[in-house]
Structure formats: C-alpha cells, structure tokens
PDB file of all heavy atoms in Angstrom:
ATOM      1  N   ASP V  17     122.166  67.736  48.751  1.00 97.00           N
ATOM      2  CA  ASP V  17     121.643  68.158  50.073  1.00 97.00           C
ATOM      3  C   ASP V  17     120.859  67.110  50.737  1.00 97.00           C
ATOM      4  O   ASP V  17     121.009  66.769  51.887  1.00 97.00           O
ATOM      5  CB  ASP V  17     120.808  69.480  50.034  1.00 97.00           C
ATOM      6  CG  ASP V  17     121.663  70.680  49.752  1.00 97.00           C
ATOM      7  OD1 ASP V  17     122.863  70.658  49.962  1.00 97.00           O
ATOM      8  OD2 ASP V  17     121.050  71.672  49.459  1.00 97.00           O
ATOM      9  N   ALA V  18     119.983  66.354  49.909  1.00 97.00           N
ATOM     10  CA  ALA V  18     119.220  65.323  50.348  1.00 97.00           C
ATOM     11  C   ALA V  18     120.059  64.108  50.694  1.00 97.00           C
ATOM     12  O   ALA V  18     119.804  63.425  51.746  1.00 97.00           O
ATOM     13  CB  ALA V  18     118.119  64.897  49.333  1.00 97.00           C
ATOM     14  N   SER V  19     121.083  63.915  49.931  1.00 97.00           N
ATOM     15  CA  SER V  19     122.015  62.749  50.264  1.00 97.00           C
ATOM     16  C   SER V  19     122.734  62.999  51.529  1.00 97.00           C
ATOM     17  O   SER V  19     122.863  62.025  52.353  1.00 97.00           O
ATOM     18  CB  SER V  19     123.117  62.671  49.141  1.00 97.00           C
ATOM     19  OG  SER V  19     122.486  62.183  47.910  1.00 97.00           O
ATOM     20  N   ILE V  20     123.152  64.214  51.769  1.00 97.00           N
ATOM     21  CA  ILE V  20     123.866  64.515  53.048  1.00 97.00           C
ATOM     22  C   ILE V  20     122.918  64.316  54.281  1.00 97.00           C
ATOM     23  O   ILE V  20     123.315  63.761  55.282  1.00 97.00           O
ATOM     24  CB  ILE V  20     124.473  65.936  53.007  1.00 97.00           C
ATOM     25  CG1 ILE V  20     125.593  65.970  52.010  1.00 97.00           C
ATOM     26  CG2 ILE V  20     124.913  66.328  54.375  1.00 97.00           C
ATOM     27  CD1 ILE V  20     126.169  67.382  51.730  1.00 97.00           C
ATOM     28  N   ALA V  21     121.640  64.797  53.999  1.00 98.00           N
ATOM     29  CA  ALA V  21     120.677  64.625  55.173  1.00 98.00           C
ATOM     30  C   ALA V  21     120.391  63.107  55.393  1.00 98.00           C
ATOM     31  O   ALA V  21     120.345  62.698  56.652  1.00 98.00           O
ATOM     32  CB  ALA V  21     119.329  65.335  54.750  1.00 98.00           C
ATOM     33  N   LYS V  22     120.354  62.352  54.384  1.00 97.00           N
ATOM     34  CA  LYS V  22     120.078  60.904  54.500  1.00 97.00           C
ATOM     35  C   LYS V  22     121.386  60.260  55.277  1.00 97.00           C
ATOM     36  O   LYS V  22     121.190  59.407  56.130  1.00 97.00           O
ATOM     37  CB  LYS V  22     119.866  60.201  53.187  1.00 97.00           C
ATOM     38  CG  LYS V  22     118.599  60.433  52.524  1.00 97.00           C
ATOM     39  CD  LYS V  22     117.478  59.546  53.186  1.00 97.00           C
ATOM     40  CE  LYS V  22     116.262  59.624  52.463  1.00 97.00           C
ATOM     41  NZ  LYS V  22     115.200  58.920  53.204  1.00 97.00           N
ATOM     42  N   PHE V  23     122.536  60.712  54.850  1.00 97.00           N
ATOM     43  CA  PHE V  23     123.756  60.192  55.435  1.00 97.00           C
ATOM     44  C   PHE V  23     123.763  60.501  56.902  1.00 97.00           C
ATOM     45  O   PHE V  23     124.087  59.641  57.820  1.00 97.00           O
ATOM     46  CB  PHE V  23     124.957  60.720  54.697  1.00 97.00           C
ATOM     47  CG  PHE V  23     126.285  60.210  55.226  1.00 97.00           C
ATOM     48  CD1 PHE V  23     126.779  59.010  54.749  1.00 97.00           C
ATOM     49  CD2 PHE V  23     127.008  60.915  56.181  1.00 97.00           C
ATOM     50  CE1 PHE V  23     127.960  58.494  55.303  1.00 97.00           C
ATOM     51  CE2 PHE V  23     128.201  60.386  56.717  1.00 97.00           C
ATOM     52  CZ  PHE V  23     128.654  59.220  56.273  1.00 97.00           C
ATOM     53  N   GLU V  24     123.392  61.737  57.286  1.00 98.00           N
ATOM     54  CA  GLU V  24     123.427  62.150  58.685  1.00 98.00           C
ATOM     55  C   GLU V  24     122.415  61.381  59.483  1.00 98.00           C
ATOM     56  O   GLU V  24     122.767  60.875  60.570  1.00 98.00           O
ATOM     57  CB  GLU V  24     123.125  63.626  58.780  1.00 98.00           C
ATOM     58  CG  GLU V  24     124.272  64.505  58.385  1.00 98.00           C
ATOM     59  CD  GLU V  24     123.864  65.997  58.336  1.00 98.00           C
ATOM     60  OE1 GLU V  24     122.731  66.391  58.342  1.00 98.00           O
ATOM     61  OE2 GLU V  24     124.761  66.790  58.260  1.00 98.00           O
ATOM     62  N   LEU V  25     121.252  61.142  58.943  1.00 97.00           N
ATOM     63  CA  LEU V  25     120.209  60.272  59.620  1.00 97.00           C
ATOM     64  C   LEU V  25     120.726  58.829  59.724  1.00 97.00           C
ATOM     65  O   LEU V  25     120.595  58.291  60.829  1.00 97.00           O
ATOM     66  CB  LEU V  25     118.920  60.224  58.764  1.00 97.00           C
ATOM     67  CG  LEU V  25     117.793  59.404  59.325  1.00 97.00           C
ATOM     68  CD1 LEU V  25     117.502  59.731  60.784  1.00 97.00           C
ATOM     69  CD2 LEU V  25     116.594  59.467  58.477  1.00 97.00           C
ATOM     70  N   GLY V  26     121.394  58.360  58.726  1.00 97.00           N
ATOM     71  CA  GLY V  26     121.936  56.923  58.872  1.00 97.00           C
ATOM     72  C   GLY V  26     123.002  56.852  59.918  1.00 97.00           C
ATOM     73  O   GLY V  26     123.089  55.932  60.750  1.00 97.00           O
ATOM     74  N   ALA V  27     123.854  57.871  59.987  1.00 97.00           N
ATOM     75  CA  ALA V  27     124.928  57.902  61.074  1.00 97.00           C
ATOM     76  C   ALA V  27     124.278  57.948  62.426  1.00 97.00           C
ATOM     77  O   ALA V  27     124.824  57.241  63.363  1.00 97.00           O
ATOM     78  CB  ALA V  27     125.885  59.048  60.810  1.00 97.00           C
ATOM     79  N   LYS V  28     123.277  58.716  62.556  1.00 97.00           N
ATOM     80  CA  LYS V  28     122.587  58.824  63.876  1.00 97.00           C
ATOM     81  C   LYS V  28     121.985  57.490  64.218  1.00 97.00           C
ATOM     82  O   LYS V  28     122.009  57.071  65.417  1.00 97.00           O
ATOM     83  CB  LYS V  28     121.511  59.917  63.783  1.00 97.00           C
ATOM     84  CG  LYS V  28     120.675  60.099  65.011  1.00 97.00           C
ATOM     85  CD  LYS V  28     119.614  61.194  64.841  1.00 97.00           C
ATOM     86  CE  LYS V  28     118.704  61.191  66.006  1.00 97.00           C
ATOM     87  NZ  LYS V  28     117.591  62.153  65.812  1.00 97.00           N
ATOM     88  N   LEU V  29     121.315  56.851  63.306  1.00 97.00           N
ATOM     89  CA  LEU V  29     120.668  55.600  63.555  1.00 97.00           C
ATOM     90  C   LEU V  29     121.682  54.537  63.955  1.00 97.00           C
ATOM     91  O   LEU V  29     121.465  53.600  64.742  1.00 97.00           O
ATOM     92  CB  LEU V  29     119.831  55.164  62.368  1.00 97.00           C
ATOM     93  CG  LEU V  29     118.603  55.999  62.080  1.00 97.00           C
ATOM     94  CD1 LEU V  29     117.884  55.657  60.802  1.00 97.00           C
ATOM     95  CD2 LEU V  29     117.607  55.943  63.283  1.00 97.00           C
ATOM     96  N   ILE V  30     122.813  54.451  63.217  1.00 97.00           N
ATOM     97  CA  ILE V  30     123.928  53.545  63.460  1.00 97.00           C
ATOM     98  C   ILE V  30     124.420  53.749  64.918  1.00 97.00           C
ATOM     99  O   ILE V  30     124.606  52.803  65.652  1.00 97.00           O
ATOM    100  CB  ILE V  30     125.064  53.608  62.415  1.00 97.00           C
ATOM    101  CG1 ILE V  30     124.617  53.078  61.155  1.00 97.00           C
ATOM    102  CG2 ILE V  30     126.301  52.860  62.995  1.00 97.00           C
ATOM    103  CD1 ILE V  30     125.558  53.294  59.955  1.00 97.00           C
ATOM    104  N   LYS V  31     124.506  54.992  65.286  1.00 96.00           N
ATOM    105  CA  LYS V  31     125.066  55.314  66.636  1.00 96.00           C
ATOM    106  C   LYS V  31     124.011  54.804  67.665  1.00 96.00           C
ATOM    107  O   LYS V  31     124.356  54.220  68.734  1.00 96.00           O
ATOM    108  CB  LYS V  31     125.227  56.829  66.803  1.00 96.00           C
ATOM    109  CG  LYS V  31     125.762  57.251  68.132  1.00 96.00           C
ATOM    110  CD  LYS V  31     126.101  58.720  68.117  1.00 96.00           C
ATOM    111  CE  LYS V  31     126.732  59.104  69.475  1.00 96.00           C
ATOM    112  NZ  LYS V  31     127.028  60.520  69.498  1.00 96.00           N
ATOM    113  N   GLN V  32     122.774  55.002  67.436  1.00 94.00           N
ATOM    114  CA  GLN V  32     121.644  54.445  68.315  1.00 94.00           C
ATOM    115  C   GLN V  32     121.739  52.941  68.364  1.00 94.00           C
ATOM    116  O   GLN V  32     121.606  52.323  69.451  1.00 94.00           O
ATOM    117  CB  GLN V  32     120.272  54.835  67.640  1.00 94.00           C
ATOM    118  CG  GLN V  32     119.112  54.343  68.523  1.00 94.00           C
ATOM    119  CD  GLN V  32     117.819  54.665  67.800  1.00 94.00           C
ATOM    120  OE1 GLN V  32     117.676  55.633  67.164  1.00 94.00           O
ATOM    121  NE2 GLN V  32     116.841  53.844  68.122  1.00 94.00           N
ATOM    122  N   CYS V  33     122.004  52.240  67.256  1.00 95.00           N
ATOM    123  CA  CYS V  33     122.121  50.744  67.264  1.00 95.00           C
ATOM    124  C   CYS V  33     123.263  50.252  68.124  1.00 95.00           C
ATOM    125  O   CYS V  33     123.172  49.347  68.915  1.00 95.00           O
ATOM    126  CB  CYS V  33     122.231  50.168  65.787  1.00 95.00           C
ATOM    127  SG  CYS V  33     120.671  50.171  64.965  1.00 95.00           S
ATOM    128  N   TYR V  34     124.387  50.990  67.998  1.00 94.00           N
ATOM    129  CA  TYR V  34     125.614  50.655  68.806  1.00 94.00           C
ATOM    130  C   TYR V  34     125.184  50.863  70.349  1.00 94.00           C
ATOM    131  O   TYR V  34     125.564  50.013  71.137  1.00 94.00           O
ATOM    132  CB  TYR V  34     126.779  51.473  68.439  1.00 94.00           C
ATOM    133  CG  TYR V  34     127.565  50.849  67.247  1.00 94.00           C
ATOM    134  CD1 TYR V  34     127.683  51.634  66.126  1.00 94.00           C
ATOM    135  CD2 TYR V  34     128.072  49.630  67.361  1.00 94.00           C
ATOM    136  CE1 TYR V  34     128.405  51.030  65.028  1.00 94.00           C
ATOM    137  CE2 TYR V  34     128.866  49.060  66.251  1.00 94.00           C
ATOM    138  CZ  TYR V  34     128.962  49.815  65.084  1.00 94.00           C
ATOM    139  OH  TYR V  34     129.618  49.276  64.078  1.00 94.00           O
ATOM    140  N   ALA V  35     124.530  51.858  70.698  1.00 92.00           N
ATOM    141  CA  ALA V  35     124.119  52.155  72.063  1.00 92.00           C
ATOM    142  C   ALA V  35     123.204  51.047  72.499  1.00 92.00           C
ATOM    143  O   ALA V  35     123.356  50.574  73.644  1.00 92.00           O
ATOM    144  CB  ALA V  35     123.549  53.515  72.161  1.00 92.00           C
ATOM    145  N   ASP V  36     122.220  50.695  71.672  1.00 89.00           N
ATOM    146  CA  ASP V  36     121.332  49.618  72.032  1.00 89.00           C
ATOM    147  C   ASP V  36     121.977  48.327  72.253  1.00 89.00           C
ATOM    148  O   ASP V  36     121.723  47.538  73.149  1.00 89.00           O
ATOM    149  CB  ASP V  36     120.210  49.410  70.930  1.00 89.00           C
ATOM    150  CG  ASP V  36     119.303  50.620  70.825  1.00 89.00           C
ATOM    151  OD1 ASP V  36     119.280  51.492  71.717  1.00 89.00           O
ATOM    152  OD2 ASP V  36     118.568  50.633  69.859  1.00 89.00           O
ATOM    153  N   LEU V  37     123.000  47.925  71.378  1.00 89.00           N
ATOM    154  CA  LEU V  37     123.741  46.709  71.550  1.00 89.00           C
ATOM    155  C   LEU V  37     124.557  46.782  72.841  1.00 89.00           C
ATOM    156  O   LEU V  37     124.623  45.709  73.506  1.00 89.00           O
ATOM    157  CB  LEU V  37     124.642  46.536  70.330  1.00 89.00           C
ATOM    158  CG  LEU V  37     123.973  46.024  69.066  1.00 89.00           C
ATOM    159  CD1 LEU V  37     124.951  46.111  67.886  1.00 89.00           C
ATOM    160  CD2 LEU V  37     123.266  44.731  69.153  1.00 89.00           C
ATOM    161  N   GLU V  38     125.150  47.841  73.107  1.00 85.00           N
ATOM    162  CA  GLU V  38     126.003  47.920  74.380  1.00 85.00           C
ATOM    163  C   GLU V  38     125.063  47.773  75.609  1.00 85.00           C
ATOM    164  O   GLU V  38     125.387  47.013  76.526  1.00 85.00           O
ATOM    165  CB  GLU V  38     126.648  49.298  74.446  1.00 85.00           C
ATOM    166  CG  GLU V  38     127.668  49.389  75.483  1.00 85.00           C
ATOM    167  CD  GLU V  38     128.870  48.369  75.271  1.00 85.00           C
ATOM    168  OE1 GLU V  38     129.220  48.037  74.237  1.00 85.00           O
ATOM    169  OE2 GLU V  38     129.315  47.879  76.272  1.00 85.00           O
ATOM    170  N   SER V  39     123.849  48.333  75.569  1.00 82.00           N
ATOM    171  CA  SER V  39     122.914  48.173  76.583  1.00 82.00           C
ATOM    172  C   SER V  39     122.504  46.679  76.766  1.00 82.00           C
ATOM    173  O   SER V  39     122.454  46.166  77.944  1.00 82.00           O
ATOM    174  CB  SER V  39     121.651  49.058  76.373  1.00 82.00           C
ATOM    175  OG  SER V  39     120.662  48.754  77.341  1.00 82.00           O
ATOM    176  N   VAL V  40     122.234  46.005  75.681  1.00 78.00           N
ATOM    177  CA  VAL V  40     121.838  44.644  75.777  1.00 78.00           C
ATOM    178  C   VAL V  40     123.029  43.810  76.205  1.00 78.00           C
ATOM    179  O   VAL V  40     122.794  42.854  77.031  1.00 78.00           O
ATOM    180  CB  VAL V  40     121.271  44.098  74.314  1.00 78.00           C
ATOM    181  CG1 VAL V  40     121.163  42.613  74.297  1.00 78.00           C
ATOM    182  CG2 VAL V  40     120.043  44.871  74.030  1.00 78.00           C
ATOM    183  N   LYS V  41     124.212  44.070  75.761  1.00 75.00           N
ATOM    184  CA  LYS V  41     125.410  43.263  76.170  1.00 75.00           C
ATOM    185  C   LYS V  41     125.592  43.351  77.703  1.00 75.00           C
ATOM    186  O   LYS V  41     125.882  42.360  78.250  1.00 75.00           O
ATOM    187  CB  LYS V  41     126.652  43.895  75.491  1.00 75.00           C
ATOM    188  CG  LYS V  41     127.885  43.225  75.873  1.00 75.00           C
ATOM    189  CD  LYS V  41     129.062  43.820  75.069  1.00 75.00           C
ATOM    190  CE  LYS V  41     130.367  43.209  75.613  1.00 75.00           C
ATOM    191  NZ  LYS V  41     131.480  43.885  74.910  1.00 75.00           N
ATOM    192  N   LYS V  42     125.234  44.477  78.257  1.00 73.00           N
ATOM    193  CA  LYS V  42     125.366  44.622  79.717  1.00 73.00           C
ATOM    194  C   LYS V  42     124.360  43.726  80.465  1.00 73.00           C
ATOM    195  O   LYS V  42     124.555  43.387  81.617  1.00 73.00           O
ATOM    196  CB  LYS V  42     125.276  46.066  80.127  1.00 73.00           C
ATOM    197  CG  LYS V  42     126.382  46.929  79.735  1.00 73.00           C
ATOM    198  CD  LYS V  42     126.266  48.379  80.050  1.00 73.00           C
ATOM    199  CE  LYS V  42     127.436  49.190  79.566  1.00 73.00           C
ATOM    200  NZ  LYS V  42     127.249  50.693  79.895  1.00 73.00           N
ATOM    201  N   LYS V  43     123.187  43.493  79.805  1.00 73.00           N
ATOM    202  CA  LYS V  43     122.146  42.744  80.438  1.00 73.00           C
ATOM    203  C   LYS V  43     122.304  41.233  80.330  1.00 73.00           C
ATOM    204  O   LYS V  43     121.704  40.455  81.090  1.00 73.00           O
ATOM    205  CB  LYS V  43     120.796  43.113  79.813  1.00 73.00           C
ATOM    206  CG  LYS V  43     120.368  44.545  80.084  1.00 73.00           C
ATOM    207  CD  LYS V  43     119.068  44.845  79.376  1.00 73.00           C
ATOM    208  CE  LYS V  43     118.711  46.267  79.526  1.00 73.00           C
ATOM    209  NZ  LYS V  43     117.438  46.596  78.790  1.00 73.00           N
ATOM    210  N   ILE V  44     123.099  40.834  79.370  1.00 68.00           N
ATOM    211  CA  ILE V  44     123.165  39.364  79.034  1.00 68.00           C
ATOM    212  C   ILE V  44     124.010  38.709  80.031  1.00 68.00           C
ATOM    213  O   ILE V  44     125.031  39.084  80.434  1.00 68.00           O
ATOM    214  CB  ILE V  44     123.825  39.174  77.634  1.00 68.00           C
ATOM    215  CG1 ILE V  44     122.881  39.690  76.592  1.00 68.00           C
ATOM    216  CG2 ILE V  44     124.105  37.698  77.387  1.00 68.00           C
ATOM    217  CD1 ILE V  44     123.481  39.602  75.140  1.00 68.00           C
ATOM    218  N   SER V  45     123.466  37.572  80.532  1.00 58.00           N
ATOM    219  CA  SER V  45     124.165  36.692  81.400  1.00 58.00           C
ATOM    220  C   SER V  45     124.061  35.217  80.759  1.00 58.00           C
ATOM    221  O   SER V  45     123.012  34.944  80.245  1.00 58.00           O
ATOM    222  CB  SER V  45     123.623  36.616  82.842  1.00 58.00           C
ATOM    223  OG  SER V  45     123.862  37.913  83.448  1.00 58.00           O
ATOM    224  N   LEU V  46     125.065  34.473  80.949  1.00 58.00           N
ATOM    225  CA  LEU V  46     125.031  33.083  80.483  1.00 58.00           C
ATOM    226  C   LEU V  46     124.963  32.190  81.663  1.00 58.00           C
ATOM    227  O   LEU V  46     125.608  32.371  82.718  1.00 58.00           O
ATOM    228  CB  LEU V  46     126.342  32.812  79.754  1.00 58.00           C
ATOM    229  CG  LEU V  46     126.628  33.686  78.506  1.00 58.00           C
ATOM    230  CD1 LEU V  46     127.992  33.322  77.967  1.00 58.00           C
ATOM    231  CD2 LEU V  46     125.627  33.524  77.460  1.00 58.00           C
ATOM    232  N   ILE V  47     124.218  31.130  81.551  1.00 62.00           N
ATOM    233  CA  ILE V  47     124.092  30.117  82.623  1.00 62.00           C
ATOM    234  C   ILE V  47     125.027  28.959  82.043  1.00 62.00           C
ATOM    235  O   ILE V  47     124.820  28.465  80.926  1.00 62.00           O
ATOM    236  CB  ILE V  47     122.631  29.571  82.696  1.00 62.00           C
ATOM    237  CG1 ILE V  47     121.757  30.705  83.282  1.00 62.00           C
ATOM    238  CG2 ILE V  47     122.594  28.438  83.692  1.00 62.00           C
ATOM    239  CD1 ILE V  47     120.300  30.433  83.430  1.00 62.00           C
ATOM    240  N   VAL V  48     126.002  28.609  82.853  1.00 62.00           N
ATOM    241  CA  VAL V  48     126.933  27.666  82.497  1.00 62.00           C
ATOM    242  C   VAL V  48     126.794  26.456  83.414  1.00 62.00           C
ATOM    243  O   VAL V  48     126.810  26.623  84.650  1.00 62.00           O
ATOM    244  CB  VAL V  48     128.413  28.306  82.599  1.00 62.00           C
ATOM    245  CG1 VAL V  48     129.490  27.217  82.261  1.00 62.00           C
ATOM    246  CG2 VAL V  48     128.508  29.444  81.655  1.00 62.00           C
TER     247      VAL V  48
END
C-alpha cells in the first residue's frame, strides 16, 4: 500500500515536471 502511494505521488510529480517544462519551453526565445 505504501509503495503504491509513493508510486502515485511520483507519477503526479513527474506530470508536474512535464507541465513545468512545457511552460518554460513556451517562454524561451533565442537571440540569433
């Protein structure tokens, strides 16, 4: 039960990281 709870939390945090990365990607501009 504790392993499943940890796994669920990890999956939620990974999803949050992907959302954060997508947000940052949209903000990035390169000066060329």
Side-chain angles (χ1 to χ4, degrees):
D17 289 344
S19 293
I20 291 171
K22 286 280 188 188
F23 182 84
E24 288 175 346
L25 176 58
K28 178 182 172 185
L29 293 174
I30 289 170
K31 187 175 180 179
Q32 177 185 332
C33 283
Y34 277 119
D36 291 347
L37 287 173
E38 192 60 34
S39 173
V40 169
K41 181 180 173 183
K42 290 177 183 177
K43 294 178 186 176
I44 293 177
S45 292
L46 301 175
I47 297 178
V48 178

